[in-house]
Amino acid sequence: SILVGKESELAKLITDAGPAAAERIAAIEAAQSDLDSATAASRKAAEELAETKRAAAQAKAAVQEAQRALREYEPRFAEATKERDQRASDLENWTDYNVACFELLAA
């Protein structure tokens, strides 16, 4: 009868489609696996980027702190350098004077 013929036709169609369906299922599973791997890699990259941004912010803060400390130290350094140079000059003048006096007495 017509129904039996249609049933056998549909059963054959389903049987013939089985391997193609299995291939599509395998392709879907492979694509899902690739997607999961890509998602994990993306998540890891985002975490690394966030960590790098945190480290950059900390480094920037450290540089700013060092620059501030340098600006605060510069006047004291200039004063100390001026004092050192004055004392070195005083010592040189004192030494020159006393050597000259000694040479005068020794002559």
Side-chain angles (χ1 to χ4, degrees), residues 2-67:
I2 297 179
L3 288 178
V4 174
K6 195 65 166 168
E7 179 185 0
S8 4
E9 183 183 325
L10 290 174
K12 183 177 182 328
L13 185 63
I14 291 171
T15 305
D16 291 347
E23 287 177 18
R24 286 191 295 276
I25 289 172
I28 289 169
E29 289 172 350
Q32 183 64 48
S33 176
D34 291 346
L35 175 63
D36 293 344
S37 295
T39 301
S42 176
R43 189 173 295 120
K44 182 178 181 191
E47 290 170 0
E48 289 174 356
L49 176 61
E51 181 60 33
T52 300
K53 285 182 177 181
R54 279 191 294 275
Q58 289 174 346
K60 183 178 179 180
V63 166
Q64 289 172 342
E65 176 62 25
Q67 288 172 337

Side-chain angles (χ1 to χ4, degrees), residues 96-107:
D96 290 347
Y97 175 77
N98 287 303
V99 167
C101 288
F102 176 76
E103 288 174 350
L104 183 62
L105 291 174

Side-chain angles (χ1 to χ4, degrees), residues 67-79:
Q67 288 172 337
R68 183 193 60 75
L70 181 61
R71 282 190 306 273
E72 289 178 4
Y73 180 70
E74 282 180 295
R76 292 188 312 184
F77 179 76
E79 184 62 34

